[in-house]
Amino acid sequence: MDDSVRAIPSLRGGGLSPEDLLAQVARGSEAAFEQLHDIVAGPVFGVVRRVVRDVAQSEEVAQEVLVELWRTAPRYDPAQGSAVNWALTLAHRRAVDRVRSAQASADREQRVGTMAPGREFDEVVEAVTARLEREQVRRCLSTLTELQRESVLLAYYGGHTYPEVAELLRSPLGTIKTRLRDGLIRLRDCLGVTR
Amino acid sequence: MTTPDVHLLTGAYVLDALDEPERRQFERHLAECPECVQEVAGLRETTVRLGLAVSETPPAGMKEQVLARIGQVRQEPPGIGYPRVPARRGHRWPVRLVSVAAAVAVAVAAALGVVAYQTQSRLDAARAQLSQVRSAQNAVAELLSAPDLRAIPAQGGRAGGGSVLVSRQLDRGLLFVSGMPDQPATSTYQAWVIADGTAKSIGVLGPAGRTATPLLFGSLGGADEVAMTIEPAGGSREPTTSPVVWFLL
């Protein structure tokens, strides 16, 4: 699981691992939180921004996520995943919560209904491709079938539910459900995620 | 839904692509499917890689705001479980203030006969806290039965309002405000008693600017006014802005 941490030099820093820091945060250390913040704020903001898009709203959500990280630190159990994993899980859930809130979902439904197929997907892919700092992720994404890749990207970066993904890609629900799973499995194996 | 079908949802689950009912259903399934737990762990770690790939420098100033906010947020007790996104809620009140508020709410509700809007469970919860805050309750009960009790309406509130109940004899008052706009995390409402042009703080009304809670205060002295201002988070030593609401005693 440490692969993801090792792979990003900026995440290694000196001294304590994110997990050590989070353990100290759980005991109320604001100093440890500040260090942990510096490690996870970029990924957290990046994920939220990808899903929420609007910069001001993204900052608001990212702040909520980081405060949530502080608040829930005592519940962190290293057996369940890395500290960065914990932070990004929280970030993604908060972000999709925001875009699925009442008003937003009304807008989205309309958008999903009227959008030309593929347009949003192109946007996502373009943005992601441009930003993919990680050669490996890009390379592994290219090993997925087109439908697997589109499904995974629309769900993760687009924050769409799988029925929305199915509608966007004009595919049956069951197909998308399966593609999300086998796409991620292929990605997992290509990336060498060992859990 | 049969078990194999549920199992197929691992991908959609870690991508947060399930709606609420399906997510709950899947989590129930997880509790009794060790293979699913294993698969979810690996797939979740995979989504983390997708997240790291789009890391982006946060806006300037975000860190300072986050660090300022955590100083006001109490941590949860240890427990088990992946982070859940709870219903959105504001900052927690300090325990003492909550207890006083609960006692005050019950006493005031009983005294003014406005219990109807309270649900039974809220009353029960408030009553449970009541036993711990007998003295605050007594202070409020005493105030409410003071022979010289006066209710003073708010002035100046463009949004929201409230009143001050005051007894000169007991040298004590109770401030209510409600419907005031919430303040951003960087600022807060602060209440003052003013005597001869000198303001003395009687409290910061909640880190998130929630103002629906009564605030008990004493040492009125010769005060002629109670006022509320907007101050930087944490409050100020003396008012730094013009009052948004005031009460002429």
Side-chain angles (χ1 to χ4, degrees):
Chain A
M1 134 205 347
D2 281 347
D3 285 354
S4 55
V5 176
R6 258 199 300 279
I8 306 268
S10 67
L11 288 182
R12 300 185 60 189
L16 297 173
S17 71
E19 289 69 36
D20 294 336
L21 289 170
L22 191 48
Q24 291 189 9
V25 172
R27 295 193 293 271
S29 167
E30 295 190 16
F33 179 82
E34 187 172 350
Q35 285 185 60
L36 184 63
H37 176 282
D38 292 346
I39 294 170
V40 301
V44 163
F45 182 70
V47 165
V48 171
R49 174 136 153 64
R50 189 65 44 223
V51 174
V52 173
R53 299 188 179 207
D54 175 80
V55 177
Q57 279 198 55
S58 298
E59 181 178 353
E60 203 179 302
V61 173
Q63 281 199 29
E64 282 171 15
V65 169
L66 292 161
V67 172
E68 199 71 20
L69 186 63
W70 160 264
R71 207 168 61 73
T72 59
R75 292 201 346 241
Y76 170 66
D77 172 9
Q80 293 195 47
S82 68
V84 174
N85 180 328
W86 174 273
L88 286 186
T89 298
L90 203 48
H92 195 260
R93 286 192 187 168
R94 278 273 183 192
V96 300
D97 260 16
R98 173 62 65 103
V99 297
R100 285 175 203 166
S101 66
Q103 183 51 50
S105 73
D107 295 348
R108 287 167 73 78
E109 271 160 33
Q110 199 177 5
R111 219 169 68 215
V112 167
T114 57
M115 193 166 45
R119 193 179 133 257
E120 178 165 332
F121 168 68
D122 289 341
E123 272 177 42
V124 171
V125 166
E126 191 183 32
V128 170
T129 313
R131 293 189 161 278
L132 281 188
E133 300 142 336
R134 306 265 300 107
E135 269 316 311
Q136 202 188 4
V137 170
R138 182 166 28 195
R139 183 176 62 75
C140 287
L141 279 172
S142 73
T143 68
L144 271 53
T145 68
E146 194 179 338
L147 191 57
Q148 284 176 335
R149 188 170 55 246
E150 289 180 353
S151 304
V152 167
L153 294 180
L154 280 171
Y156 191 76
Y157 296 120
H160 291 288
T161 62
Y162 80 89
E164 285 174 344
V165 172
E167 192 172 343
L168 283 164
L169 297 177
R170 306 275 190 269
S171 298
L173 269 182
T175 306
I176 294 305
K177 192 163 70 181
T178 314
R179 292 299 85 86
L180 288 175
R181 175 167 177 262
D182 55 33
L184 275 183
I185 287 174
R186 191 181 282 195
L187 194 58
R188 176 195 69 192
D189 295 344
C190 175
L191 288 168
V193 172
T194 50
R195 278 181 75 99
Chain B
M1 196 184 273
T2 63
T3 301
D5 276 345
V6 177
H7 189 84
L8 288 178
L9 289 175
T10 48
Y13 175 67
V14 299
L15 290 162
D16 295 319
L18 299 178
D19 61 20
E20 256 327 286
E22 260 184 319
R23 179 172 134 191
R24 277 197 297 274
Q25 187 187 16
F26 183 78
E27 284 179 344
R28 278 197 299 275
H29 172 67
L30 267 185
E32 52 202 37
C33 174
E35 313 94 84
C36 303
V37 171
Q38 185 64 29
E39 183 169 302
V40 160
L43 297 187
R44 195 190 293 288
E45 200 62 37
T46 306
T47 66
V48 168
R49 304 291 290 271
L50 291 172
L52 289 172
V54 292
S55 179
E56 195 172 330
T57 308
M62 189 175 101
K63 179 178 172 179
E64 285 64 34
Q65 291 198 36
V66 169
L67 295 182
R69 282 175 67 178
I70 64 156
Q72 303 176 338
V73 175
R74 219 168 66 169
Q75 292 180 301
E76 288 186 355
I80 299 166
Y82 224 73
R84 283 170 177 272
V85 178
R88 284 158 60 84
R89 66 175 172 206
H91 302 275
R92 294 195 175 188
W93 287 76
V95 171
R96 196 182 55 79
L97 192 52
V98 172
S99 305
V100 172
V104 166
V106 171
V108 168
L112 303 181
V114 289
V115 289
Y117 76 95
Q118 290 275 20
T119 66
Q120 191 59 41
S121 64
R122 281 174 65 195
L123 276 174
D124 288 346
R127 284 198 182 102
Q129 288 179 292
L130 193 68
S131 61
Q132 299 167 8
V133 286
R134 197 61 71 183
S135 66
Q137 185 209 15
N138 289 343
V140 172
E142 228 175 79
L143 174 67
L144 293 175
S145 55
D148 68 333
L149 184 72
R150 287 183 302 132
I152 294 144
Q155 296 184 30
R158 272 173 306 175
S163 57
V164 163
L165 299 179
V166 65
S167 163
R168 293 281 182 188
Q169 213 169 304
L170 293 173
D171 197 26
R172 196 179 295 163
L174 191 61
L175 165 70
F176 300 86
V177 278
S178 62
M180 306 283 292
D182 281 356
Q183 290 299 308
T186 48
S187 56
T188 186
Y189 290 106
Q190 189 167 5
W192 313 85
V193 286
I194 299 164
D196 297 329
T198 304
K200 191 182 64 174
S201 174
I202 55 173
V204 169
L205 297 192
R210 301 291 168 80
T211 58
T213 300
L215 181 67
L216 183 65
F217 58 96
S219 309
L220 281 177
D224 46 23
E225 187 178 342
V226 170
M228 277 174 55
T229 59
I230 296 172
E231 301 294 339
S236 305
R237 294 174 63 87
E238 52 188 49
T240 60
T241 62
S242 303
V244 288
V245 168
W246 61 90
F247 309 83
L248 299 178
L249 302 183

PDB file of all heavy atoms in Angstrom, chain A residues 84-115:
ATOM      1  N   VAL A  84      -3.013   8.718   3.437  1.00  0.00           N
ATOM      2  CA  VAL A  84      -3.382   9.457   2.231  1.00  0.00           C
ATOM      3  C   VAL A  84      -4.679   8.874   1.658  1.00  0.00           C
ATOM      4  O   VAL A  84      -5.562   9.596   1.190  1.00  0.00           O
ATOM      5  CB  VAL A  84      -2.244   9.395   1.183  1.00  0.00           C
ATOM      6  CG1 VAL A  84      -2.680  10.030  -0.126  1.00  0.00           C
ATOM      7  CG2 VAL A  84      -0.994  10.091   1.724  1.00  0.00           C
ATOM      8  N   ASN A  85      -4.787   7.550   1.726  1.00  0.00           N
ATOM      9  CA  ASN A  85      -5.997   6.859   1.300  1.00  0.00           C
ATOM     10  C   ASN A  85      -7.208   7.382   2.088  1.00  0.00           C
ATOM     11  O   ASN A  85      -8.252   7.728   1.524  1.00  0.00           O
ATOM     12  CB  ASN A  85      -5.771   5.359   1.562  1.00  0.00           C
ATOM     13  CG  ASN A  85      -6.949   4.490   1.157  1.00  0.00           C
ATOM     14  OD1 ASN A  85      -8.091   4.910   1.222  1.00  0.00           O
ATOM     15  ND2 ASN A  85      -6.650   3.250   0.783  1.00  0.00           N
ATOM     16  N   TRP A  86      -7.035   7.462   3.395  1.00  0.00           N
ATOM     17  CA  TRP A  86      -8.098   7.965   4.287  1.00  0.00           C
ATOM     18  C   TRP A  86      -8.527   9.373   3.852  1.00  0.00           C
ATOM     19  O   TRP A  86      -9.708   9.670   3.703  1.00  0.00           O
ATOM     20  CB  TRP A  86      -7.545   7.961   5.708  1.00  0.00           C
ATOM     21  CG  TRP A  86      -8.369   8.550   6.808  1.00  0.00           C
ATOM     22  CD1 TRP A  86      -8.400   9.865   7.193  1.00  0.00           C
ATOM     23  CD2 TRP A  86      -9.252   7.860   7.709  1.00  0.00           C
ATOM     24  NE1 TRP A  86      -9.232  10.017   8.265  1.00  0.00           N
ATOM     25  CE2 TRP A  86      -9.778   8.819   8.608  1.00  0.00           C
ATOM     26  CE3 TRP A  86      -9.646   6.522   7.835  1.00  0.00           C
ATOM     27  CZ2 TRP A  86     -10.668   8.481   9.621  1.00  0.00           C
ATOM     28  CZ3 TRP A  86     -10.536   6.203   8.860  1.00  0.00           C
ATOM     29  CH2 TRP A  86     -11.033   7.171   9.727  1.00  0.00           C
ATOM     30  N   ALA A  87      -7.529  10.226   3.621  1.00  0.00           N
ATOM     31  CA  ALA A  87      -7.827  11.624   3.270  1.00  0.00           C
ATOM     32  C   ALA A  87      -8.518  11.717   1.912  1.00  0.00           C
ATOM     33  O   ALA A  87      -9.493  12.456   1.747  1.00  0.00           O
ATOM     34  CB  ALA A  87      -6.529  12.441   3.262  1.00  0.00           C
ATOM     35  N   LEU A  88      -8.032  10.937   0.942  1.00  0.00           N
ATOM     36  CA  LEU A  88      -8.616  11.039  -0.393  1.00  0.00           C
ATOM     37  C   LEU A  88      -9.999  10.389  -0.473  1.00  0.00           C
ATOM     38  O   LEU A  88     -10.844  10.818  -1.250  1.00  0.00           O
ATOM     39  CB  LEU A  88      -7.677  10.423  -1.435  1.00  0.00           C
ATOM     40  CG  LEU A  88      -6.447  11.274  -1.759  1.00  0.00           C
ATOM     41  CD1 LEU A  88      -5.662  10.667  -2.903  1.00  0.00           C
ATOM     42  CD2 LEU A  88      -6.854  12.703  -2.097  1.00  0.00           C
ATOM     43  N   THR A  89     -10.219   9.354   0.337  1.00  0.00           N
ATOM     44  CA  THR A  89     -11.553   8.752   0.391  1.00  0.00           C
ATOM     45  C   THR A  89     -12.558   9.777   0.888  1.00  0.00           C
ATOM     46  O   THR A  89     -13.643   9.958   0.329  1.00  0.00           O
ATOM     47  CB  THR A  89     -11.537   7.526   1.333  1.00  0.00           C
ATOM     48  OG1 THR A  89     -10.634   6.560   0.804  1.00  0.00           O
ATOM     49  CG2 THR A  89     -12.918   6.910   1.441  1.00  0.00           C
ATOM     50  N   LEU A  90     -12.146  10.464   1.939  1.00  0.00           N
ATOM     51  CA  LEU A  90     -12.996  11.513   2.501  1.00  0.00           C
ATOM     52  C   LEU A  90     -13.223  12.618   1.468  1.00  0.00           C
ATOM     53  O   LEU A  90     -14.342  13.110   1.292  1.00  0.00           O
ATOM     54  CB  LEU A  90     -12.269  12.071   3.729  1.00  0.00           C
ATOM     55  CG  LEU A  90     -13.049  12.765   4.819  1.00  0.00           C
ATOM     56  CD1 LEU A  90     -14.254  11.948   5.224  1.00  0.00           C
ATOM     57  CD2 LEU A  90     -12.117  12.967   6.019  1.00  0.00           C
ATOM     58  N   ALA A  91     -12.153  12.983   0.771  1.00  0.00           N
ATOM     59  CA  ALA A  91     -12.231  14.080  -0.205  1.00  0.00           C
ATOM     60  C   ALA A  91     -13.205  13.733  -1.335  1.00  0.00           C
ATOM     61  O   ALA A  91     -14.052  14.541  -1.711  1.00  0.00           O
ATOM     62  CB  ALA A  91     -10.844  14.366  -0.778  1.00  0.00           C
ATOM     63  N   HIS A  92     -13.093  12.509  -1.842  1.00  0.00           N
ATOM     64  CA  HIS A  92     -13.943  12.141  -2.969  1.00  0.00           C
ATOM     65  C   HIS A  92     -15.409  12.084  -2.538  1.00  0.00           C
ATOM     66  O   HIS A  92     -16.300  12.558  -3.241  1.00  0.00           O
ATOM     67  CB  HIS A  92     -13.498  10.801  -3.576  1.00  0.00           C
ATOM     68  CG  HIS A  92     -14.093  10.552  -4.931  1.00  0.00           C
ATOM     69  ND1 HIS A  92     -15.190   9.742  -5.116  1.00  0.00           N
ATOM     70  CD2 HIS A  92     -13.776  11.036  -6.153  1.00  0.00           C
ATOM     71  CE1 HIS A  92     -15.505   9.728  -6.408  1.00  0.00           C
ATOM     72  NE2 HIS A  92     -14.659  10.508  -7.051  1.00  0.00           N
ATOM     73  N   ARG A  93     -15.654  11.539  -1.352  1.00  0.00           N
ATOM     74  CA  ARG A  93     -17.042  11.448  -0.880  1.00  0.00           C
ATOM     75  C   ARG A  93     -17.646  12.824  -0.656  1.00  0.00           C
ATOM     76  O   ARG A  93     -18.790  13.078  -1.002  1.00  0.00           O
ATOM     77  CB  ARG A  93     -17.110  10.643   0.419  1.00  0.00           C
ATOM     78  CG  ARG A  93     -16.907   9.180   0.158  1.00  0.00           C
ATOM     79  CD  ARG A  93     -17.264   8.371   1.372  1.00  0.00           C
ATOM     80  NE  ARG A  93     -16.902   6.972   1.144  1.00  0.00           N
ATOM     81  CZ  ARG A  93     -16.877   6.067   2.106  1.00  0.00           C
ATOM     82  NH1 ARG A  93     -17.195   6.408   3.342  1.00  0.00           N
ATOM     83  NH2 ARG A  93     -16.546   4.831   1.835  1.00  0.00           N
ATOM     84  N   ARG A  94     -16.878  13.689  -0.056  1.00  0.00           N
ATOM     85  CA  ARG A  94     -17.361  15.053   0.170  1.00  0.00           C
ATOM     86  C   ARG A  94     -17.651  15.752  -1.157  1.00  0.00           C
ATOM     87  O   ARG A  94     -18.625  16.486  -1.289  1.00  0.00           O
ATOM     88  CB  ARG A  94     -16.313  15.871   0.919  1.00  0.00           C
ATOM     89  CG  ARG A  94     -16.313  15.651   2.398  1.00  0.00           C
ATOM     90  CD  ARG A  94     -17.304  16.581   3.065  1.00  0.00           C
ATOM     91  NE  ARG A  94     -17.258  16.428   4.502  1.00  0.00           N
ATOM     92  CZ  ARG A  94     -18.153  16.938   5.329  1.00  0.00           C
ATOM     93  NH1 ARG A  94     -19.159  17.623   4.848  1.00  0.00           N
ATOM     94  NH2 ARG A  94     -18.051  16.761   6.616  1.00  0.00           N
ATOM     95  N   ALA A  95     -16.759  15.533  -2.111  1.00  0.00           N
ATOM     96  CA  ALA A  95     -16.912  16.207  -3.406  1.00  0.00           C
ATOM     97  C   ALA A  95     -18.175  15.719  -4.125  1.00  0.00           C
ATOM     98  O   ALA A  95     -18.951  16.524  -4.635  1.00  0.00           O
ATOM     99  CB  ALA A  95     -15.671  15.980  -4.268  1.00  0.00           C
ATOM    100  N   VAL A  96     -18.402  14.403  -4.134  1.00  0.00           N
ATOM    101  CA  VAL A  96     -19.595  13.922  -4.827  1.00  0.00           C
ATOM    102  C   VAL A  96     -20.851  14.334  -4.056  1.00  0.00           C
ATOM    103  O   VAL A  96     -21.887  14.623  -4.653  1.00  0.00           O
ATOM    104  CB  VAL A  96     -19.591  12.393  -5.094  1.00  0.00           C
ATOM    105  CG1 VAL A  96     -18.423  11.990  -5.955  1.00  0.00           C
ATOM    106  CG2 VAL A  96     -19.615  11.589  -3.831  1.00  0.00           C
ATOM    107  N   ASP A  97     -20.744  14.392  -2.741  1.00  0.00           N
ATOM    108  CA  ASP A  97     -21.865  14.897  -1.942  1.00  0.00           C
ATOM    109  C   ASP A  97     -22.258  16.287  -2.405  1.00  0.00           C
ATOM    110  O   ASP A  97     -23.428  16.600  -2.541  1.00  0.00           O
ATOM    111  CB  ASP A  97     -21.438  15.024  -0.478  1.00  0.00           C
ATOM    112  CG  ASP A  97     -21.912  13.863   0.354  1.00  0.00           C
ATOM    113  OD1 ASP A  97     -22.283  12.840  -0.236  1.00  0.00           O
ATOM    114  OD2 ASP A  97     -21.900  13.995   1.592  1.00  0.00           O
ATOM    115  N   ARG A  98     -21.247  17.113  -2.613  1.00  0.00           N
ATOM    116  CA  ARG A  98     -21.516  18.491  -3.000  1.00  0.00           C
ATOM    117  C   ARG A  98     -22.209  18.549  -4.360  1.00  0.00           C
ATOM    118  O   ARG A  98     -23.207  19.225  -4.519  1.00  0.00           O
ATOM    119  CB  ARG A  98     -20.199  19.291  -3.011  1.00  0.00           C
ATOM    120  CG  ARG A  98     -20.321  20.694  -3.561  1.00  0.00           C
ATOM    121  CD  ARG A  98     -21.247  21.566  -2.739  1.00  0.00           C
ATOM    122  NE  ARG A  98     -20.739  21.795  -1.403  1.00  0.00           N
ATOM    123  CZ  ARG A  98     -20.159  22.928  -1.027  1.00  0.00           C
ATOM    124  NH1 ARG A  98     -20.024  23.916  -1.874  1.00  0.00           N
ATOM    125  NH2 ARG A  98     -19.728  23.055   0.214  1.00  0.00           N
ATOM    126  N   VAL A  99     -21.679  17.803  -5.329  1.00  0.00           N
ATOM    127  CA  VAL A  99     -22.283  17.908  -6.665  1.00  0.00           C
ATOM    128  C   VAL A  99     -23.623  17.195  -6.748  1.00  0.00           C
ATOM    129  O   VAL A  99     -24.396  17.451  -7.656  1.00  0.00           O
ATOM    130  CB  VAL A  99     -21.345  17.407  -7.800  1.00  0.00           C
ATOM    131  CG1 VAL A  99     -20.102  18.263  -7.875  1.00  0.00           C
ATOM    132  CG2 VAL A  99     -20.985  15.952  -7.622  1.00  0.00           C
ATOM    133  N   ARG A 100     -23.900  16.321  -5.774  1.00  0.00           N
ATOM    134  CA  ARG A 100     -25.189  15.628  -5.823  1.00  0.00           C
ATOM    135  C   ARG A 100     -26.222  16.274  -4.923  1.00  0.00           C
ATOM    136  O   ARG A 100     -27.319  15.764  -4.757  1.00  0.00           O
ATOM    137  CB  ARG A 100     -25.030  14.160  -5.431  1.00  0.00           C
ATOM    138  CG  ARG A 100     -24.381  13.347  -6.532  1.00  0.00           C
ATOM    139  CD  ARG A 100     -24.118  11.923  -6.098  1.00  0.00           C
ATOM    140  NE  ARG A 100     -23.059  11.359  -6.925  1.00  0.00           N
ATOM    141  CZ  ARG A 100     -22.410  10.239  -6.636  1.00  0.00           C
ATOM    142  NH1 ARG A 100     -22.711   9.574  -5.544  1.00  0.00           N
ATOM    143  NH2 ARG A 100     -21.460   9.806  -7.424  1.00  0.00           N
ATOM    144  N   SER A 101     -25.889  17.383  -4.298  1.00  0.00           N
ATOM    145  CA  SER A 101     -26.869  18.044  -3.438  1.00  0.00           C
ATOM    146  C   SER A 101     -28.038  18.501  -4.290  1.00  0.00           C
ATOM    147  O   SER A 101     -27.926  18.641  -5.506  1.00  0.00           O
ATOM    148  CB  SER A 101     -26.225  19.222  -2.712  1.00  0.00           C
ATOM    149  OG  SER A 101     -25.865  20.214  -3.647  1.00  0.00           O
ATOM    150  N   ALA A 102     -29.150  18.752  -3.658  1.00  0.00           N
ATOM    151  CA  ALA A 102     -30.420  18.925  -4.370  1.00  0.00           C
ATOM    152  C   ALA A 102     -30.353  19.733  -5.664  1.00  0.00           C
ATOM    153  O   ALA A 102     -30.646  19.228  -6.735  1.00  0.00           O
ATOM    154  CB  ALA A 102     -31.444  19.534  -3.417  1.00  0.00           C
ATOM    155  N   GLN A 103     -29.928  20.972  -5.559  1.00  0.00           N
ATOM    156  CA  GLN A 103     -29.936  21.826  -6.730  1.00  0.00           C
ATOM    157  C   GLN A 103     -29.002  21.292  -7.802  1.00  0.00           C
ATOM    158  O   GLN A 103     -29.360  21.198  -8.971  1.00  0.00           O
ATOM    159  CB  GLN A 103     -29.530  23.250  -6.356  1.00  0.00           C
ATOM    160  CG  GLN A 103     -29.584  24.237  -7.504  1.00  0.00           C
ATOM    161  CD  GLN A 103     -30.925  24.201  -8.228  1.00  0.00           C
ATOM    162  OE1 GLN A 103     -31.988  24.272  -7.606  1.00  0.00           O
ATOM    163  NE2 GLN A 103     -30.887  24.078  -9.551  1.00  0.00           N
ATOM    164  N   ALA A 104     -27.840  20.919  -7.351  1.00  0.00           N
ATOM    165  CA  ALA A 104     -26.841  20.441  -8.296  1.00  0.00           C
ATOM    166  C   ALA A 104     -27.358  19.231  -9.054  1.00  0.00           C
ATOM    167  O   ALA A 104     -27.151  19.108 -10.254  1.00  0.00           O
ATOM    168  CB  ALA A 104     -25.549  20.104  -7.566  1.00  0.00           C
ATOM    169  N   SER A 105     -28.061  18.354  -8.349  1.00  0.00           N
ATOM    170  CA  SER A 105     -28.472  17.135  -9.027  1.00  0.00           C
ATOM    171  C   SER A 105     -29.547  17.431 -10.065  1.00  0.00           C
ATOM    172  O   SER A 105     -29.610  16.783 -11.093  1.00  0.00           O
ATOM    173  CB  SER A 105     -28.929  16.084  -8.015  1.00  0.00           C
ATOM    174  OG  SER A 105     -30.173  16.426  -7.476  1.00  0.00           O
ATOM    175  N   ALA A 106     -30.380  18.430  -9.779  1.00  0.00           N
ATOM    176  CA  ALA A 106     -31.370  18.811 -10.787  1.00  0.00           C
ATOM    177  C   ALA A 106     -30.667  19.285 -12.056  1.00  0.00           C
ATOM    178  O   ALA A 106     -30.997  18.871 -13.164  1.00  0.00           O
ATOM    179  CB  ALA A 106     -32.274  19.906 -10.235  1.00  0.00           C
ATOM    180  N   ASP A 107     -29.658  20.131 -11.860  1.00  0.00           N
ATOM    181  CA  ASP A 107     -28.900  20.626 -13.013  1.00  0.00           C
ATOM    182  C   ASP A 107     -28.229  19.488 -13.763  1.00  0.00           C
ATOM    183  O   ASP A 107     -28.225  19.446 -14.985  1.00  0.00           O
ATOM    184  CB  ASP A 107     -27.791  21.587 -12.549  1.00  0.00           C
ATOM    185  CG  ASP A 107     -28.372  22.836 -11.930  1.00  0.00           C
ATOM    186  OD1 ASP A 107     -29.593  23.041 -12.082  1.00  0.00           O
ATOM    187  OD2 ASP A 107     -27.617  23.573 -11.293  1.00  0.00           O
ATOM    188  N   ARG A 108     -27.684  18.577 -12.976  1.00  0.00           N
ATOM    189  CA  ARG A 108     -26.939  17.497 -13.597  1.00  0.00           C
ATOM    190  C   ARG A 108     -27.847  16.599 -14.419  1.00  0.00           C
ATOM    191  O   ARG A 108     -27.483  16.185 -15.505  1.00  0.00           O
ATOM    192  CB  ARG A 108     -26.227  16.657 -12.544  1.00  0.00           C
ATOM    193  CG  ARG A 108     -25.056  17.347 -11.940  1.00  0.00           C
ATOM    194  CD  ARG A 108     -24.618  16.603 -10.703  1.00  0.00           C
ATOM    195  NE  ARG A 108     -23.954  15.357 -11.037  1.00  0.00           N
ATOM    196  CZ  ARG A 108     -22.706  15.292 -11.450  1.00  0.00           C
ATOM    197  NH1 ARG A 108     -22.015  16.387 -11.613  1.00  0.00           N
ATOM    198  NH2 ARG A 108     -22.148  14.145 -11.709  1.00  0.00           N
ATOM    199  N   GLU A 109     -29.032  16.314 -13.840  1.00  0.00           N
ATOM    200  CA  GLU A 109     -29.932  15.446 -14.582  1.00  0.00           C
ATOM    201  C   GLU A 109     -30.245  16.049 -15.944  1.00  0.00           C
ATOM    202  O   GLU A 109     -30.249  15.387 -16.955  1.00  0.00           O
ATOM    203  CB  GLU A 109     -31.222  15.217 -13.802  1.00  0.00           C
ATOM    204  CG  GLU A 109     -31.101  14.021 -12.875  1.00  0.00           C
ATOM    205  CD  GLU A 109     -32.132  14.042 -11.776  1.00  0.00           C
ATOM    206  OE1 GLU A 109     -33.245  14.540 -12.028  1.00  0.00           O
ATOM    207  OE2 GLU A 109     -31.814  13.575 -10.671  1.00  0.00           O
ATOM    208  N   GLN A 110     -30.472  17.365 -15.912  1.00  0.00           N
ATOM    209  CA  GLN A 110     -30.764  18.040 -17.157  1.00  0.00           C
ATOM    210  C   GLN A 110     -29.560  17.941 -18.093  1.00  0.00           C
ATOM    211  O   GLN A 110     -29.689  17.685 -19.279  1.00  0.00           O
ATOM    212  CB  GLN A 110     -31.081  19.497 -16.860  1.00  0.00           C
ATOM    213  CG  GLN A 110     -31.825  20.166 -17.982  1.00  0.00           C
ATOM    214  CD  GLN A 110     -32.179  21.582 -17.612  1.00  0.00           C
ATOM    215  OE1 GLN A 110     -31.781  22.080 -16.556  1.00  0.00           O
ATOM    216  NE2 GLN A 110     -32.901  22.244 -18.471  1.00  0.00           N
ATOM    217  N   ARG A 111     -28.396  18.137 -17.511  1.00  0.00           N
ATOM    218  CA  ARG A 111     -27.191  18.112 -18.324  1.00  0.00           C
ATOM    219  C   ARG A 111     -26.984  16.733 -18.922  1.00  0.00           C
ATOM    220  O   ARG A 111     -26.673  16.578 -20.089  1.00  0.00           O
ATOM    221  CB  ARG A 111     -25.997  18.485 -17.448  1.00  0.00           C
ATOM    222  CG  ARG A 111     -25.005  19.364 -18.150  1.00  0.00           C
ATOM    223  CD  ARG A 111     -24.001  19.909 -17.155  1.00  0.00           C
ATOM    224  NE  ARG A 111     -23.154  18.876 -16.639  1.00  0.00           N
ATOM    225  CZ  ARG A 111     -22.694  18.858 -15.377  1.00  0.00           C
ATOM    226  NH1 ARG A 111     -23.032  19.795 -14.549  1.00  0.00           N
ATOM    227  NH2 ARG A 111     -21.905  17.905 -14.974  1.00  0.00           N
ATOM    228  N   VAL A 112     -27.177  15.722 -18.079  1.00  0.00           N
ATOM    229  CA  VAL A 112     -26.985  14.364 -18.561  1.00  0.00           C
ATOM    230  C   VAL A 112     -27.945  14.099 -19.712  1.00  0.00           C
ATOM    231  O   VAL A 112     -27.600  13.486 -20.703  1.00  0.00           O
ATOM    232  CB  VAL A 112     -27.200  13.343 -17.421  1.00  0.00           C
ATOM    233  CG1 VAL A 112     -27.307  11.935 -17.978  1.00  0.00           C
ATOM    234  CG2 VAL A 112     -26.058  13.429 -16.432  1.00  0.00           C
ATOM    235  N   GLY A 113     -29.194  14.624 -19.559  1.00  0.00           N
ATOM    236  CA  GLY A 113     -30.197  14.367 -20.575  1.00  0.00           C
ATOM    237  C   GLY A 113     -29.902  15.031 -21.902  1.00  0.00           C
ATOM    238  O   GLY A 113     -30.196  14.483 -22.957  1.00  0.00           O
ATOM    239  N   THR A 114     -29.321  16.233 -21.852  1.00  0.00           N
ATOM    240  CA  THR A 114     -29.210  17.004 -23.081  1.00  0.00           C
ATOM    241  C   THR A 114     -27.813  16.978 -23.696  1.00  0.00           C
ATOM    242  O   THR A 114     -27.620  17.459 -24.799  1.00  0.00           O
ATOM    243  CB  THR A 114     -29.562  18.482 -22.820  1.00  0.00           C
ATOM    244  OG1 THR A 114     -28.696  18.969 -21.790  1.00  0.00           O
ATOM    245  CG2 THR A 114     -31.003  18.637 -22.370  1.00  0.00           C
ATOM    246  N   MET A 115     -26.887  16.440 -22.963  1.00  0.00           N
ATOM    247  CA  MET A 115     -25.512  16.544 -23.427  1.00  0.00           C
ATOM    248  C   MET A 115     -25.241  15.623 -24.614  1.00  0.00           C
ATOM    249  O   MET A 115     -25.723  14.509 -24.658  1.00  0.00           O
ATOM    250  CB  MET A 115     -24.608  16.150 -22.266  1.00  0.00           C
ATOM    251  CG  MET A 115     -23.180  16.499 -22.485  1.00  0.00           C
ATOM    252  SD  MET A 115     -22.333  16.369 -20.925  1.00  0.00           S
ATOM    253  CE  MET A 115     -22.990  14.845 -20.339  1.00  0.00           C
TER     254      MET A 115
END
